[in-house]
Amino acid sequence: SLHSLSVDFTRLLEGGEVPEKNWKAYQKGDVGTFTRRLLQMSEDLPTDKIRGKYANDHEFRNYVQKYFRQYEELYDQAVTTDHGDMLASTFASSDIGRLYAFLCSILGRDARGGDKKIVH
């Protein structure tokens, strides 16, 4: 579900189009292809563009908020069930965790697991 939201983020950030290469990979079962693309794009995307899109585009804002909710629910479950903290740390450093941390940092939101090192 988090990876499918990345498809929507990509579509909205790229004016409705998604790259054919990524779409084919996604259809073949590589559900993380759009999440990885967004992480790669994050180096080149002006943060003001994402902030503006979040402020002015209701659809984009809904997708981002849904991503936050779903990620935080999963992260909280990992923290609750994994007392050694390995699962939560792995989750936070995964591509979906890195995208979550990136969006949080751009939008001025405190990220779950912010006290843990998250690799960008």
Side-chain angles (χ1 to χ4, degrees):
S1 178
L2 289 168
H3 286 303
S4 67
L5 286 169
S6 294
V7 177
D8 296 317
F9 291 160
T10 303
R11 180 179 52 81
L12 291 169
L13 288 171
E14 295 197 16
E17 297 296 320
V18 293
E20 185 69 24
K21 173 184 162 189
N22 294 101
W23 188 244
K24 284 181 180 181
Y26 186 82
Q27 289 176 323
K28 288 182 179 180
D30 182 2
V31 295
T33 188
F34 285 101
T35 303
R36 287 190 305 277
R37 176 167 173 70
L38 286 169
L39 288 170
Q40 291 167 349
M41 287 172 49
S42 69
E43 298 170 7
D44 298 326
L45 278 175
T47 55
D48 290 344
K49 177 181 178 179
I50 295 173
R51 282 189 203 107
K53 191 114 178 115
Y54 185 82
N56 300 318
D57 186 327
H58 178 72
E59 184 180 16
F60 182 73
R61 185 173 47 254
N62 282 341
Y63 283 126
V64 170
Q65 290 171 344
K66 186 175 182 179
Y67 191 91
F68 285 155
R69 272 192 314 275
Q70 288 183 8
Y71 177 86
E72 289 169 356
E73 287 174 13
L74 290 171
Y75 181 83
D76 291 346
Q77 289 173 8
V79 169
T80 301
T81 60
D82 180 30
H83 300 292
D85 212 23
M86 183 185 289
L87 182 60
S89 294
T90 301
F91 194 60
S93 64
S94 70
D95 287 342
I96 58 173
R98 292 173 46 222
L99 181 58
Y100 166 79
F102 171 73
L103 290 169
C104 284
S105 70
I106 287 176
L107 299 173
R109 179 185 175 113
D110 289 334
R112 289 280 207 310
D115 56 332
K116 295 174 182 36
K117 182 176 169 75
I118 298 176
V119 180
H120 294 279

